[in-house]
Amino acid sequence: MPLEILLVLVVGGIVGITVLLHLSGRSRVRELTPQTARSEWLRHAPDDVIIDITIAHDKRSALIRTETGNGLLWSFGADTVARHLLDFDWIDHPEGFEIQLHDFGTPKALIRLDDFERPHWQNLMDPA
């Protein structure tokens, strides 16, 4: 098969898959509610006992308080990412906080917070 035809087939296939995923709704960013945050956290960490869930106003991130400590859950496209806040740094960002996790697999996350919720999250995330 000539390379030109193969290239057209590959590019057409990728575009077709992208369009199908978008039309089926799988490209939307997942919005978190207390129920979905609880179920998503337990999907990532099934042995945790959740004490409290704080959802950001943009519904893209949640601070999860468990018996063993705090955790962070955020939307990553149509899926979620959950990490325990054991070894991290948080840096002020114009849109909220940038959480730098000392984890090779998840180096950082931007948590968008408004001016009202920023002090509350800072208080909850402060280890002291």
Side-chain angles (χ1 to χ4, degrees):
M1 177 180 301
L3 185 60
E4 295 84 13
I5 294 175
L6 183 62
L7 183 63
V8 169
L9 288 174
V10 169
V11 171
I14 292 172
V15 169
I17 290 170
T18 303
V19 168
L20 283 173
L21 287 174
H22 182 70
L23 292 177
S24 67
R26 299 202 189 272
S27 63
R28 283 191 298 255
V29 175
R30 177 173 239 161
E31 289 191 354
L32 298 174
T33 64
Q35 295 80 18
T36 59
R38 177 179 299 277
S39 67
E40 288 297 314
W41 182 265
L42 292 175
R43 180 174 68 95
H44 292 285
D47 294 333
D48 282 354
V49 176
I50 297 174
I51 297 171
D52 185 41
I53 299 172
T54 303
I55 306 284
H57 288 162
D58 70 351
K59 297 183 181 176
R60 293 185 179 185
S61 56
L63 184 65
I64 310 291
R65 292 178 42 218
T66 67
E67 288 182 345
T68 58
N70 291 339
L72 187 62
L73 177 76
W74 68 94
S75 296
F76 190 74
D79 200 8
T80 58
V81 179
R83 293 290 183 264
H84 287 98
L85 293 175
L86 300 174
D87 188 18
F88 71 98
D89 296 317
W90 56 269
I91 300 168
D92 279 327
H93 189 276
E95 296 181 27
F97 291 135
E98 182 177 308
I99 308 299
Q100 292 188 344
L101 301 162
H102 302 164
D103 178 12
F104 179 75
T106 311
K108 67 179 179 177
L110 178 60
I111 308 302
R112 290 177 173 82
L113 302 169
D114 59 29
D115 293 333
F116 177 74
E117 59 189 342
R118 186 185 297 236
H120 179 65
W121 276 60
Q122 185 174 355
N123 185 39
L124 290 175
M125 291 175 65
D126 198 10

